[in-house]
Amino acid sequence: MTSRLAIFATAVFLMLFQHSATGHHSFAVEFTVEETAVIEGVVAEVWFKNPHVRYYIDVTNAAGEKDRWDTRGSSPSLLVRRGWTKETISVGDTVIIKGHLGRDDKRLLSIIGIDLADGTKLGAHY
Amino acid sequence: MLKIRNMRYCTAVIMAFFPFLAVHAQNSLQGEWMVELSGEGPPIIGMLSLQESGDGWVGHIEGGPVTVETESDAIEILVDSRDLAGFVFNRRLTGDYDDASMSGSFTIEGATEDPEPGGAWTAVRKAPTVPRQPPAPVDLGGMWTPAPGIDFRKYSMDLTESAKEWHAGYVMHYDQPNVRCVSAGIVAMVAWGAYPFEIVTSKDRLTYLYEVDSEVRRVFLNEKRPPDYYPPSPMGFSNGYWDGSNLVVDTQLLEGNVRDFRGEPVSEGARMHERYSLSEDGSTLSAVIKLIDPANYNVEPTRRRQWVRNPATEIYPYECDPDSFYRQMYEQGKMDMYFERADRREMN
């Protein structure tokens, strides 16, 4: 069941985000397909521009310090077709982001899905 | 099955006593074949070329090298490919062959984001090239969105020694032109699978409006020659003509660039040859795209693409800001490294 869910999530991810691989450069170079992570934090910066949408997220670590994560989505022109606009996520919003981890232990995520504080689910759930 | 085994046994016996016949049997593979894979999704098509060498067969699919093993009338072909996310995997084709056809099944090996379930494959001899037909233009005007399937997504190509040397140090997420908002050029763009494009028809010209990079391309149908001193550019200079109802486009004056995400070089002076065909109902546009670049490729790389007519879509604006790329370099302390890699951005 878990593997079916994983396959389904992967399929949806590809439908929504494959352009980040096909449109610009290879997902495989920077991200791992096997390793995913979930982070919860506050949006510090919104970059809603090509070649990739980015949300910079401040995550409080175990020591109480803030780590900044670079999370990446698709290109704006592909997202806005699905109603995901620059205004969908704003600086100061609390978000939970699931994504594929960047290689080399970077604080880097390729977004699979985002849960907003009001319960809205974007990405894999979108 | 029994029949096939008997046939193989008889063949083995004959070959043991008349070895010259084995050479004849091997030679029967020589030439060009059209391979079709059929599984759950749309079919995947590619051209397989086989040439006999001293110790077996030298094979290429879509211009890229493949491993070919034969034993009696059995054949195995190993094709490296990449998925939409860039992960490389192999398709292993096994089956039987005779003078006119091959068939069997294929399986997938290696990590891929979107694993194919495998399926059946067939191959037939490539049909002879027919002479150019009188023009019979069809209406290609309208909005086109990419359709999945058809392309083998062959991973490795048959690079020349100098191209291998250049490509050896290529790092996609530092060196790919479009990560810093520089056009990757028509050779890469024409095969991308995410963005729509529009064809506007007018007298003696087709104008392609690509959403990605907001690129524009003019295909002249009146044998117009490039103006004097027309510079090489990412989109080049394109001339087209109608071969029957097929549109043939030749593009020259391409500047040095990369062929695809893998970063294999395209030299200044390379040409691209495209052949577009429209389905009978006008709903599907197909293209076979060849890169002609002997400075970098021993065999011409080939891609196949399909698009579906989609009047409901729109071309969205596409602006690109490289700030996030340079910021990442800066934050990772890699700006010096980036500038020291200037040769990665020179592909002349």
Side-chain angles (χ1 to χ4, degrees):
Chain A
M1 189 62 172
T2 308
S3 63
R4 280 188 185 171
L5 279 174
I7 289 168
F8 174 72
T10 301
V12 176
F13 162 75
L14 281 170
M15 279 192 293
L16 291 172
F17 290 93
Q18 66 181 25
H19 31 266
S20 61
T22 59
H24 300 108
H25 60 282
S26 173
F27 167 89
V29 173
E30 281 195 276
F31 300 95
T32 60
V33 66
E34 302 88 0
E35 293 183 67
T36 60
V38 177
I39 61 169
E40 180 169 0
V42 177
V43 179
E45 196 176 331
V46 174
W47 175 268
F48 205 82
K49 295 179 181 180
N50 287 308
H52 294 282
V53 166
R54 295 183 188 215
Y55 298 102
Y56 293 94
I57 311 295
D58 283 340
V59 177
T60 305
N61 63 27
E65 296 160 343
K66 282 180 183 167
D67 291 331
R68 181 152 298 182
W69 283 71
D70 177 354
T71 67
R72 297 188 198 168
S74 176
S75 74
S77 65
L78 295 172
L79 288 178
V80 296
R81 284 188 164 91
R82 298 176 172 90
W84 180 334
T85 70
K86 189 177 180 180
E87 285 72 39
T88 301
I89 297 173
S90 302
V91 171
D93 287 355
T94 297
V95 292
I96 299 170
I97 301 183
K98 181 179 182 184
H100 290 274
L101 272 170
R103 297 187 189 278
D104 305 328
D105 297 323
K106 293 174 192 163
R107 292 194 190 99
L108 188 63
L109 279 185
S110 177
I111 299 168
I112 296 174
I114 303 181
D115 293 354
L116 305 184
D118 66 0
T120 303
K121 294 178 182 300
L122 304 167
H125 317 287
Y126 191 58
Chain B
M1 182 55 95
L2 190 62
K3 214 172 179 180
I4 292 171
R5 279 187 186 158
N6 284 340
M7 199 168 70
R8 282 186 184 167
Y9 174 74
C10 292
T11 307
V13 171
I14 291 167
M15 296 306 172
F17 288 96
F18 304 99
F20 64 94
L21 289 175
V23 174
H24 173 75
Q26 289 260 308
N27 281 339
S28 67
L29 273 175
Q30 183 100 10
E32 294 179 327
W33 302 75
M34 293 310 299
V35 180
E36 181 170 331
L37 310 186
S38 47
E40 283 183 357
I44 292 168
I45 296 168
M47 196 187 77
L48 165 69
S49 68
L50 290 169
Q51 280 189 314
E52 194 181 9
S53 74
D55 50 356
W57 293 98
V58 175
H60 290 82
I61 282 186
E62 301 295 59
V66 295
T67 306
V68 179
E69 301 286 348
T70 58
E71 187 179 336
S72 184
D73 57 352
I75 186 166
E76 180 175 280
I77 307 169
L78 194 64
V79 192
D80 62 346
S81 304
R82 69 164 183 81
D83 66 12
L84 289 169
F87 290 94
V88 182
F89 63 97
N90 285 320
R91 294 188 180 101
R92 186 178 295 275
L93 284 61
T94 55
D96 295 320
Y97 71 93
D98 58 30
D99 277 346
S101 65
M102 308 182 202
S103 62
S105 59
F106 72 96
T107 53
I108 301 299
E109 298 170 359
T112 167
E113 272 265 348
D114 192 15
E116 296 167 8
W121 68 280
T122 58
V124 293
R125 295 272 181 193
K126 182 175 175 262
T129 305
V130 295
R132 184 170 161 180
Q133 301 295 301
V138 293
D139 183 12
L140 302 184
M143 294 287 190
W144 298 97
T145 51
I150 203 164
D151 192 16
F152 249 90
R153 292 186 173 279
K154 180 73 178 72
Y155 183 65
S156 60
M157 284 295 145
D158 194 343
L159 297 176
T160 60
E161 287 306 314
S162 60
K164 278 182 196 168
E165 193 177 324
W166 185 89
H167 185 252
Y170 194 82
V171 181
M172 282 181 265
H173 60 287
Y174 297 147
D175 301 329
Q176 191 78 1
N178 42 342
V179 298
R180 58 182 193 281
C181 297
V182 172
S183 174
I186 188 61
V187 178
M189 278 174 52
V190 75
W192 284 351
Y195 298 92
F197 70 97
E198 180 177 10
I199 297 178
V200 179
T201 59
S202 53
K203 188 174 183 299
D204 294 335
R205 184 189 298 188
L206 298 173
T207 306
Y208 288 51
L209 306 172
Y210 292 94
E211 178 169 303
V212 63
D213 291 336
S214 297
E215 286 282 17
V216 176
R217 180 189 189 194
R218 297 167 187 86
V219 177
F220 297 101
L221 302 174
N222 57 355
E223 300 181 355
K224 176 184 171 79
R225 306 315 306 159
D228 289 343
Y229 310 113
Y230 193 88
S233 69
M235 303 304 277
F237 186 95
S238 296
N239 290 100
Y241 63 86
W242 294 97
D243 179 1
S245 59
N246 297 315
L247 175 70
V248 179
V249 180
D250 284 307
T251 299
Q252 59 177 313
L253 288 169
L254 293 165
E255 70 174 4
N257 215 316
V258 291
R259 188 184 73 86
D260 202 349
F261 304 105
R262 199 176 179 218
E264 294 155 330
V266 173
S267 64
E268 191 167 303
R271 300 173 76 100
M272 188 171 72
H273 180 88
E274 298 154 275
R275 188 176 183 87
Y276 291 87
S277 55
L278 189 65
S279 62
E280 263 188 34
D281 65 1
S283 67
T284 305
L285 182 62
S286 304
V288 181
I289 304 144
K290 285 185 188 226
L291 173 63
I292 302 149
D293 185 5
N296 287 317
Y297 300 90
N298 295 315
V299 182
E300 293 164 0
T302 301
R303 301 293 302 266
R304 289 166 207 273
R305 295 298 301 164
Q306 273 189 341
W307 302 267
V308 291
R309 195 185 286 278
N310 189 351
T313 199
E314 300 285 348
I315 300 296
Y316 277 47
Y318 190 105
E319 301 299 329
C320 194
D321 186 336
D323 183 82
S324 62
F325 170 74
Y326 292 110
R327 174 175 169 176
Q328 180 184 338
M329 293 283 113
Y330 175 76
E331 288 177 348
Q332 293 175 357
K334 290 181 174 168
M335 286 300 279
D336 288 346
M337 178 276 293
Y338 171 75
F339 286 111
E340 284 163 7
R341 294 174 63 80
D343 62 318
R344 302 290 90 196
R345 301 185 285 283
E346 292 293 333
M347 286 153 280
N348 297 323

